[in-house]
Amino acid sequence: MTRGILIAGNGSPLFYALGAEAARRVSGYAAAFIPQSRDAPLRSEPARQITLEWNSPSPISARTLVLSAVNRLEHIDEAILVCVPPVCRKRAEDLALPEIDTYADDQIKRWIFLVRELALIFRARESGTLALVLSGTGAGTRDETADLLGLPAAAAFRALAQGVLASSQNAPYNVMGFSCSDPGEENPFAAHIFKTMEEGRRNSGKWHKYGKFSLFR
């Protein structure tokens, strides 16, 4: 019986690096993108990637995604949630209200619904690994407008991940947090994530930092 791997989140170099690592281990893995964050449409899909729809930041959409992954993979053994929030370098007065709503829904609320659904299925199976992965390079230089939405979204994801880690100490499944802020390290970071997950229970309940610099100083 092959491993069932689901990778969900922001389309980014890290997302595709994780997909490449998954493809080295299984004949097919499931991938679900936050729609507004996906790479350009001309990018070809990896041969072993089973792309699933994750249409809206709602409990029904999260449940549908998890059920679709189970149907295609037979079971989910490892779920990797990849948060790489799109940069939004604007002044507060330049933000449109619908833009704020959409960003908060897609980059904050969406994660909570999906974490809940995955936790339910892993608890029912009494096995599995939930990996919460955060990647970013900080606020930028002094000459750049601050990332007004991306950094708060990353902070919210980190807080969610730390809460899940703390509340799952006695869970029958593994929970791991990962972060990296070093640019250009996507491939070794992805390999590190899989290696850490494969080492099993002794890495559960921990936040694993990769690289020289911490994302939050």
Side-chain angles (χ1 to χ4, degrees):
M1 185 169 59
T2 187
R3 291 157 63 182
I5 300 174
L6 169 65
I7 305 172
N10 302 102
S12 63
L14 177 58
F15 191 108
Y16 289 103
L18 286 163
E21 287 294 325
R24 295 187 181 101
R25 291 162 169 81
V26 293
S27 58
Y29 66 94
F33 297 88
I34 296 176
Q36 290 80 6
S37 71
R38 190 164 185 178
D39 282 359
L42 294 178
R43 182 175 182 128
S44 60
E45 301 289 5
R48 297 189 179 187
Q49 178 176 295
I50 303 166
T51 304
L52 303 177
E53 297 295 327
W54 190 16
N55 292 321
S56 65
S58 71
I60 294 174
S61 183
R63 180 65 173 163
T64 300
L65 169 58
V66 170
L67 291 176
S68 297
V70 170
N71 288 336
R72 297 296 299 273
L73 301 172
E74 297 185 5
H75 45 81
I76 302 173
D77 298 294
E78 298 162 10
I80 307 171
L81 309 191
V82 188
C83 180
V84 189
V87 172
C88 179
R89 298 198 186 281
K90 290 186 176 182
R91 296 179 177 86
E93 62 269 26
D94 295 328
L95 288 171
L97 293 181
E99 180 181 22
I100 298 170
D101 253 353
T102 299
Y103 200 102
D105 282 348
D106 278 339
Q107 304 301 328
I108 298 176
K109 189 162 72 173
R110 185 184 290 267
W111 294 119
I112 301 171
F113 290 134
L114 185 55
V115 165
R116 177 185 182 274
E117 293 299 328
L118 290 166
L120 285 171
I121 199 168
F122 286 152
R123 182 172 291 278
R125 288 190 64 200
E126 296 189 346
S127 66
T129 297
L130 174 61
L132 300 135
V133 182
L134 178 61
S135 179
T137 56
T141 68
R142 289 185 179 181
D143 296 330
E144 293 177 321
T145 302
D147 183 0
L148 203 57
L149 299 182
L151 288 177
F157 183 88
R158 185 182 181 95
L160 172 64
Q162 289 176 327
V164 175
L165 287 169
S167 64
S168 303
Q169 293 295 323
N170 298 316
Y173 56 91
N174 297 329
V175 181
M176 302 176 192
F178 297 90
S179 62
C180 176
S181 58
D182 294 357
E185 291 294 303
E186 291 83 8
N187 291 332
F189 182 34
H192 170 74
I193 290 168
F194 270 94
K195 180 178 182 294
T196 304
M197 290 194 300
E198 288 162 354
E199 289 175 352
R201 189 71 180 175
R202 66 190 181 93
N203 291 321
S204 184
K206 300 176 182 177
W207 190 274
H208 303 270
K209 295 180 181 180
Y210 181 85
K212 298 177 181 178
F213 304 105
S214 172
L215 181 62
F216 295 89
R217 301 181 184 181

